[in-house]
Amino acid sequence: MAVRTGRSGARGFGLFEREAELAAAEEALNQLTGQEAPPPPRSPRTPQPHPPTAAQPAPPAPPAHPRRGGVLAYAAPAGLGKTTLLAEIRRSAAAKGCTVLSARGGDQEQRVAFHVARQLLQPQLAAASRTELTERLGGWYDIVGPALGLCTSPEGSPPDPQGLRDGLDWVLTHLAVRRAPLVVVLDDAHWADPESLGWLSAFAPRAEDLPMLLVVAYRPDELPESGAEFTGRRSGQRPLGLEPLTSEAIASLVRDRVGAHADDAFCQECWAVTSGNPFEAVELAARVRDRGLEPTADRAHALRDLAAAVKGSGLIAQIEGFGTSTVRLAWACAVLGTEISPQLAGAVAGLGAEEVARCAERLRQARVLAPASRALQDAEPGADTLEFVHPLIATAVYDAIPAATRVALHGQAAWCVVDAGLGSTTAARHLVETHPEGDPWVVQHLRAAAQETLRAGAPDTARRYLARALREPPDQDERAAVLFELGCASLLTEPATTVNHLRAALEEPVADAALRHGIVYRLSQVLAHSDRLVEASELLARESRLTTDARSRLRMQSEKFMWDAFRADEPDSPARSRRLAKLADRLPGRDLTERYIIGLRAWDATLRAEPSDVGVGHAERALEGGLSWADESRGFEVPVLVALTFLYADRPGRAEELFAAGTAEFERQGWRGAHLSFAYTLLGYIRYRRGRLVEAEDFVRAGLRLAERVGPRTPAEWYAVGVMIEVLLARGRTEEAERVARAHDFGEPFPAAVTFPDSQTVHGELLLATGRTEEAAAELAAVGRRLDPRGMRNPAWCPWQLHLALAEACETPERARDTALAGVARARQYGAPSAIGQALRVTAEVSGEAERVKLLEESVDWLERSPAAYELARSLVALGAALRRTGRTAEAAEHLYRGLETAQSCGADGLVDDARSELAAAGLRPRTLHPTGTDTLTVRERGVAELTARGEDPAVVLGLDQAAVTRLLSAVYRKLGTDPAGLAQALTSGRP
């Protein structure tokens, strides 16, 4: 048996029979600080923990042993000493030179967003000036500042929950590095607010890689699912449990407090009536001492009555014995929670300052409230706060308040909180506990609290406040606004609920036209993102007929044009295109609505394979005046479509510039969920189209990781998986592509929306790559039946015909050739060199030997005028192989060597192997490959590019042969990410 007395014993429980738990903490602290420690003793009753094992890089002055961080969790029912154990760990950590952050969940505060996060981080940051904070937090200041109570929410859209978590991760990581070694202690984690608990639970695995120890304690039966990381269910590291004390330990505890003369029978009865619960034993011993009860066997019969006063009805009866004023103060404290201001408690209880002081002293003497010295230890100097001795007492007092009185006290607390200047958000947790009475004041403060909480990044809490405001209920003319705000708060987490709220808002008599239009825009947006495009389109059509405002009608038309463009089942797509073209051509682009329509016109021209310069021209018009990617009321679809217009027109460099700017806008705004996933995925797609497959894979993996946090089979995940499959197939990793598809259930049913890249086409490409040609042919033919009637015939965007031709080649070669030639015709109509070159290569693959070389030579010629390095490598290797088979080995070698080098620079490992095989078949040895360098143009490349852009012939001016000029220009197009038509703009845009 281990007995600890002294400093910790003087504070309360003492640490009896907790040697193993303390040893585990000491071992973890020694690992964190790099100090050598003797092997910890083992307790026969408590299993040893499994300390974290991840190594932390050595600091500038390395300790004797490497530092290791991790997580240490204690799980035990109430009263078994978790709080005292954590207090001892904090003391030990501070003695070892650690920075200690401490927080405690509260029964009454668990519905206050970021309550725990603020306790942990605010003391480390609050003393800094705004200038110091902005320097220290950088771009995270406006994202995490409101959540931590460091600043008010800035204008603009709020961060999404994942963005805020990323910001909090950054702050805690930064502190762990700057203030290492860091110990973070969370007591009563089961009562932590969901936002903080979810954040810390997700962050916990990272503690192993930081000079940081995360220590948590909780009641296992009350821990929410969001704290599952601390149960060891995922990590396999079981939390340490605390057992009730043995009779020997209870005897030591009693003698420590009432005197060594306490006899064995008396101590045994103390153990029996408390069941070994340390909290109850300490409180019982204190009452024995206060009553002057002799600790002998003859007086042991009195212990049961004394024990009853420690908790439950006995405790409540004792408080009631102090009089009405004391009861009211105890109730007020129970309603207010922790860190209770005497002034605020007095206001809630209806007591003056002197009466509060007298009642508080009675409650301290009765060991209901903690002694003043304890309450002040963690407060600011000069502060005077009230605190219950133990959460069990606080819960017992709160539960003893009559239901009607409890509701009234929460209402009184809300009024007092607002009068004290603590704000609507502080009052809101009390207002949600009151009964609806149709009070406009309640609705006003709940709406204000919801707005502040939403902008701080806690939409779930905001939704609870607004749902309660709706039940009040609000005045008839305010109800639609509350429903609209409720729908906005649910947008990211519960789209189906959002639809219901917004539909209900539209059914209300909305006098404010701007509010009604806002409801319509948001409802159409969430319907479209829920794959309910028909409903979104019909809603906008109906509302546009009802509105009398011309600008609002124009915006509704633009939104309808956008969602119709994504519909796979649009009844009359050509007619919509004609209307869109007629409207866009007469709009000058004066405001965002007009620029959105012009941008949609650019995308429509791309889908329909109008000459690429038509789409590019409209895209440039749309960008004049700016297109924001992070305008929440608009969505980011049109800016994305404008950027993709440049991509498919062989201007990927321009597209990448726009995506980089949009991604930066998302990150500044704190949008790090679906929005940032789309941005990373499509940046990867752009790199894929440029032939930078290694970089593409990195971007898409980042996008997929973000999408997986958003949720399965969401649009973000769907796009990321589709692009990942394309990249892996291009890299020659077909089996891995299959695994990715299976892991994410990528297949039927496909989304109703027409996507980029088209999901069904990607799936058909995967089937083709894995030898399932009949299935691939059926799938790709279905794509054609879906897209052709809508006039969507651009193979640069969706090359379904080219893949179909390859699938048909074995069984119906003539049909395959006709299919491929139809793709060539469409590609020539669009005019993008990469599309023409790809279509010609596929046509060569399904044509006879007599035509193959000629088609491949033309394919290479077109692709050398494009930025599509991977497609160029494929055509070069195919041409080399075709020439080898016709006996033209010398010509074959030239193309195979170029194809091999280009494929390697792309990261197309499968194509590299194919090129090597062809070289070996030709009796040639592959040359040593050299890195292609950076995107910076060489002197010769820049000279040739500038002459070409001015309309001069580099061959004549520089005295080069035409083949050399072609090679140099091909490198220029790939490096700048442009075709010949965009060369002049690319050279002047500041790109390398």
Side-chain angles (χ1 to χ4, degrees):
M1 179 184 70
V3 178
R4 287 186 64 93
T5 58
R7 180 185 291 105
S8 52
R11 289 195 60 182
F13 301 162
L15 290 165
F16 292 83
E17 291 192 331
R18 298 293 181 245
E19 187 175 67
E21 292 82 359
L22 280 170
E26 286 294 310
E27 183 179 359
L29 288 171
N30 287 332
Q31 290 172 348
L32 178 68
T33 57
Q35 299 176 10
E36 186 173 6
R42 293 182 177 270
S43 165
R45 299 175 60 244
T46 308
Q48 287 290 302
H50 304 284
T53 58
Q56 173 70 15
H65 295 273
R67 294 176 174 178
R68 292 188 293 178
V71 178
L72 188 60
Y74 295 97
L80 290 189
K82 298 183 297 297
T83 297
T84 301
L85 181 63
L86 263 57
E88 179 65 14
I89 292 172
R90 289 199 303 270
R91 184 203 63 75
S92 180
K96 293 177 183 292
C98 300
T99 301
V100 180
L101 310 184
S102 184
R104 185 174 187 173
D107 188 18
Q108 296 302 308
E109 290 85 359
Q110 59 186 314
R111 290 175 291 277
V112 179
F114 308 113
H115 178 251
V116 163
R118 290 187 180 194
Q119 290 181 72
L120 289 174
L121 301 176
Q122 202 178 63
Q124 300 294 319
L125 302 169
S129 66
R130 178 185 173 88
T131 301
E132 291 171 331
L133 280 176
T134 52
E135 289 178 356
R136 187 180 301 179
L137 301 181
W140 292 111
Y141 176 77
D142 287 333
I143 296 171
V144 303
L148 297 179
L150 301 173
C151 65
T152 57
S153 302
E155 292 299 320
S157 303
D160 61 38
Q162 188 57 59
L164 179 60
R165 281 189 183 182
D166 289 346
L168 293 173
D169 285 354
W170 187 93
V171 172
L172 190 54
T173 301
H174 192 60
L175 283 172
V177 173
R178 288 182 62 249
R179 306 290 300 276
L182 183 72
V183 176
V184 178
V185 180
L186 173 58
D187 195 7
D188 288 336
H190 54 281
W191 280 338
D193 61 278
E195 290 82 2
S196 298
L197 184 61
W199 160 56
L200 283 172
S201 186
F203 184 88
R206 299 179 59 180
E208 296 183 352
D209 301 319
L210 294 168
M212 169 183 164
L213 179 65
L214 176 58
V215 186
V216 297
Y218 60 87
R219 301 178 191 173
D221 294 340
E222 300 181 40
L223 187 70
E225 181 61 29
S226 56
E229 182 66 36
F230 302 125
T231 66
R233 198 185 330 170
R234 288 193 284 262
S235 66
Q237 182 173 317
R238 292 190 303 113
L240 293 173
L242 304 182
E243 299 292 333
L245 299 182
T246 62
S247 58
E248 293 86 354
I250 292 294
S252 297
L253 186 154
V254 171
R255 290 176 177 130
D256 183 60
R257 282 157 176 76
V258 303
H261 61 290
D263 65 24
D264 290 343
F266 186 89
C267 292
Q268 183 68 22
E269 184 64 13
C270 287
W271 175 76
V273 300
T274 62
S275 301
N277 185 292
F279 161 71
E280 295 180 24
V282 168
E283 293 302 312
L284 178 60
R287 280 163 172 73
V288 168
R289 185 185 58 216
D290 294 344
R291 297 285 182 88
L293 186 68
E294 282 298 316
T296 63
D298 293 342
R299 306 304 304 272
H301 64 85
L303 289 175
R304 293 195 177 273
D305 290 337
L306 283 179
V310 172
K311 60 180 182 177
S313 59
L315 174 66
I316 300 307
Q318 182 185 21
I319 295 173
E320 289 173 347
F322 294 135
T324 304
S325 295
T326 304
V327 171
R328 283 159 56 190
L329 180 65
W331 287 355
C333 290
V335 165
L336 289 170
T338 59
E339 300 178 358
I340 306 156
S341 158
Q343 294 78 12
L344 188 58
V348 174
L351 303 174
E354 293 183 2
E355 187 69 9
V356 168
R358 284 194 294 271
C359 294
E361 186 57 31
R362 292 191 196 106
L363 292 171
R364 284 174 178 139
Q365 290 175 356
R367 300 183 59 79
V368 174
L369 294 181
S373 58
R374 175 181 174 184
L376 290 172
Q377 283 179 5
D378 296 325
E380 297 178 5
D384 183 15
T385 58
L386 306 177
E387 181 181 350
F388 285 99
V389 165
H390 194 275
L392 280 172
I393 295 177
T395 300
V397 173
Y398 186 81
D399 291 344
I401 306 173
T405 305
R406 187 188 306 145
V407 170
L409 283 172
H410 276 295
Q412 178 68 12
W415 278 94
C416 293
V417 162
V418 172
D419 287 345
L422 299 179
S424 300
T425 301
T426 306
R429 77 170 179 88
H430 297 291
L431 292 175
V432 296
E433 302 294 337
T434 61
H435 293 321
E437 294 181 349
D439 188 344
W441 184 88
V442 172
V443 175
Q444 171 195 342
H445 285 286
L446 285 170
R447 288 182 68 188
Q451 179 69 11
E452 183 176 340
T453 305
L454 181 63
R455 295 184 69 80
D460 290 343
T461 298
R463 191 171 66 249
R464 288 197 296 271
Y465 293 160
L466 289 165
R468 173 62 185 82
L470 198 63
R471 294 195 302 272
E472 187 61 18
D475 293 337
Q476 190 65 32
D477 58 354
E478 197 178 4
R479 180 175 169 80
V482 175
L483 283 164
F484 175 54
E485 292 165 6
L486 184 54
C488 292
S490 305
L491 179 64
L492 293 173
T493 54
E494 297 184 5
T497 302
T498 301
V499 168
N500 294 336
H501 290 317
L502 295 177
R503 285 200 186 282
L506 278 183
E507 293 172 0
E508 297 293 326
V510 184
D512 184 353
L515 173 60
R516 184 174 185 87
H517 297 157
I519 296 169
V520 170
Y521 302 144
R522 181 53 56 87
L523 178 54
S524 66
Q525 187 180 46
V526 72
L527 284 170
H529 289 171
S530 302
D531 215 21
R532 297 161 68 177
L533 292 159
V534 175
E535 294 176 63
S537 177
E538 291 173 349
L539 168 70
L540 290 162
R542 182 176 65 252
E543 291 294 328
S544 66
R545 292 192 296 269
L546 297 175
T547 185
T548 58
D549 181 70
R551 301 306 295 179
S552 297
R553 185 183 303 111
L554 184 64
R555 177 171 176 185
M556 289 180 191
Q557 288 176 330
S558 75
E559 301 266 339
K560 186 177 185 305
F561 278 132
M562 179 171 64
W563 301 129
D564 283 344
F566 288 114
R567 285 177 58 185
D569 59 348
E570 187 183 10
D572 194 357
S573 181
R576 174 187 55 80
S577 292
R578 290 191 294 271
R579 293 194 304 272
L580 176 60
K582 184 177 180 180
L583 178 59
D585 289 345
R586 62 182 175 82
L587 292 176
R590 292 168 296 184
D591 61 13
L592 201 56
T593 296
E594 293 188 359
R595 293 195 292 275
Y596 267 49
I597 291 174
I598 295 169
L600 289 168
R601 169 71 178 105
W603 179 243
D604 192 70
T606 299
L607 294 180
R608 296 178 183 283
E610 295 183 37
S612 59
D613 60 337
V614 174
V616 167
H618 287 301
E620 293 288 6
R621 285 181 60 213
L623 291 171
E624 295 173 5
L627 287 177
S628 172
W629 289 57
D631 185 335
E632 188 185 26
S633 67
R634 294 275 181 173
F636 64 99
E637 289 83 4
V638 171
V640 165
L641 296 178
V642 168
L644 291 176
T645 296
F646 288 104
L647 171 66
Y648 293 119
D650 275 347
R651 312 279 181 90
R654 181 80 168 110
E656 192 159 340
E657 289 174 358
L658 296 172
F659 266 95
T663 302
E665 201 171 345
F666 289 157
E667 291 178 327
R668 284 194 303 272
Q669 198 69 41
W671 291 4
R672 301 180 67 85
H675 294 85
L676 196 59
S677 172
F678 276 121
Y680 283 159
T681 295
L682 291 175
L683 267 171
Y685 185 58
I686 293 171
R687 296 291 173 93
Y688 160 74
R689 300 276 302 200
R690 294 184 73 169
R692 301 178 177 187
L693 304 182
V694 177
E695 299 167 16
E697 184 177 343
D698 288 343
F699 271 116
V700 181
R701 286 198 186 280
L704 183 55
R705 282 194 297 271
L706 289 172
E708 287 170 341
R709 297 193 302 190
V710 175
R713 293 189 71 86
T714 57
E717 186 187 69
W718 200 264
Y719 294 145
V721 171
V723 177
M724 178 60 73
I725 289 170
E726 289 209 273
V727 172
L728 292 173
L729 290 177
R731 300 205 67 189
R733 286 149 51 186
T734 303
E735 292 182 1
E736 186 177 351
E738 277 194 291
R739 288 197 299 271
V740 169
R742 285 196 302 269
H744 295 87
D745 196 21
F746 187 79
E748 296 280 2
F750 295 102
V754 175
T755 59
F756 33 85
D758 185 76
S759 302
Q760 195 170 7
T761 304
V762 174
H763 191 254
E765 186 180 356
L766 178 61
L767 292 173
L768 183 61
T770 53
R772 292 173 284 178
T773 55
E774 290 186 9
E775 296 175 63
E779 192 118 292
L780 293 163
V783 176
R785 291 192 297 271
R786 177 164 53 87
L787 298 182
D788 268 5
R790 300 193 58 200
M792 297 180 172
R793 299 171 182 172
N794 189 348
W797 163 66
C798 182
W800 65 269
Q801 280 178 305
L802 307 182
H803 298 308
L804 177 60
L806 294 172
E808 294 172 335
C810 291
E811 298 296 328
T812 55
E814 287 300 320
R815 182 194 300 173
R817 187 172 182 279
D818 291 342
T819 301
L821 286 173
V824 171
R826 292 181 178 185
R828 292 188 190 279
Q829 176 185 326
Y830 182 55
S834 64
I836 299 172
Q838 182 186 11
L840 287 167
R841 176 184 57 77
V842 171
T843 304
E845 288 189 35
V846 299
S847 298
E849 292 291 341
E851 298 176 283
R852 187 166 298 170
V853 169
K854 182 179 178 181
L855 287 167
L856 287 171
E857 286 176 338
E858 188 180 0
S859 172
V860 168
D861 182 56
W862 277 106
L863 288 166
E864 284 182 325
R865 288 178 264 169
S866 86
Y870 171 61
E871 291 299 332
L872 174 61
R874 295 180 77 180
S875 289
L876 285 168
V877 172
L879 177 57
L883 289 169
R884 179 191 65 78
R885 287 193 294 271
T886 60
R888 297 157 65 180
T889 305
E891 295 175 71
E894 178 187 356
H895 295 297
L896 288 172
Y897 283 133
R898 282 190 64 202
L900 176 60
E901 291 180 354
T902 307
Q904 185 177 36
S905 69
C906 290
D909 300 332
L911 188 58
V912 168
D913 292 341
D914 292 344
R916 290 183 183 276
S917 298
E918 287 294 337
L919 285 167
L924 301 169
R925 297 178 60 188
R927 294 187 296 233
T928 301
L929 299 178
H930 302 286
T932 56
T934 67
D935 281 348
T936 303
L937 298 181
T938 65
V939 173
R940 293 185 74 193
E941 287 168 350
R942 181 167 290 279
V944 168
E946 290 175 348
L947 288 168
T948 302
R950 292 199 299 266
E952 301 180 49
D953 186 350
V956 174
V957 176
L958 300 177
L960 301 172
D961 61 60
Q962 196 59 51
V965 170
T966 298
R967 300 271 182 88
L968 288 168
L969 283 175
S970 179
V972 168
Y973 299 141
R974 295 196 300 273
K975 289 182 177 182
L976 294 183
T978 187
D979 64 349
L983 179 60
Q985 183 183 27
L987 286 170
T988 59
S989 69
R991 280 180 253 159

